């Protein structure tokens, strides 16, 4: 019941947007797609999988890095 009310709230809000409001939301959605999809592919590659073969080695590396004392 609560989810249906939330859905109806947003549905009616977006339905009654002006043309400029719809264009702004389109720009926001495009920027989010670029940030989370494209940038992740090129800049945030899976470092641990390329360095280690199993989960135990990955967890040991993370533990060492988190508990390392920096001077």
């Amino acid at each position: 019941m609560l989810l249906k009310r939330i859905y109806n709230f947003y549905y009616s809000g977006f339905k009654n947007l002006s043309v400029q409001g719809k264009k702004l939301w389109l720009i926001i959605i495009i920027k989010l797609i670029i940030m989370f999809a494209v940038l992740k592919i090129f800049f945030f590659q899976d470092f641990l999988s390329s360095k280690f073969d199993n989960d135990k080695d990955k967890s040991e590396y993370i533990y060492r890095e988190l508990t390392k004392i920096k001077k």
Side-chain angles (χ1 to χ4, degrees), residues 11-23:
Y11 179 75
S12 64
F14 286 120
K15 186 174 149 183
N16 296 324
L17 275 178
S18 65
V19 175
Q20 292 86 7
K22 290 178 183 178
K23 286 181 183 178

Side-chain angles (χ1 to χ4, degrees), residues 10-67:
Y10 283 104
Y11 179 75
S12 64
F14 286 120
K15 186 174 149 183
N16 296 324
L17 275 178
S18 65
V19 175
Q20 292 86 7
K22 290 178 183 178
K23 286 181 183 178
L24 287 174
W25 273 108
L26 181 64
I27 292 170
I28 291 169
I29 290 170
I30 291 170
K31 286 175 74 173
L32 286 173
I33 290 170
I34 290 170
M35 283 177 18
F36 290 112
V38 175
L39 291 178
K40 183 183 182 319
I41 292 170
F42 293 111
F43 295 108
F44 303 110
Q45 294 154 357
D46 195 1
F47 169 76
L48 291 176
S49 291
S50 64
K51 298 281 185 185
F52 305 104
D53 294 330
N54 57 32
D55 290 339
K56 183 179 182 211
D57 293 339
K58 291 177 189 178
S59 64
E60 287 175 0
Y61 172 77
I62 292 171
Y63 178 75
R64 282 194 313 269
E65 289 297 313
L66 289 175
T67 57

Side-chain angles (χ1 to χ4, degrees), residues 1-6:
M1 187 66 177
L2 177 64
L3 291 177
K4 186 175 180 180
R5 287 179 36 209
I6 293 171

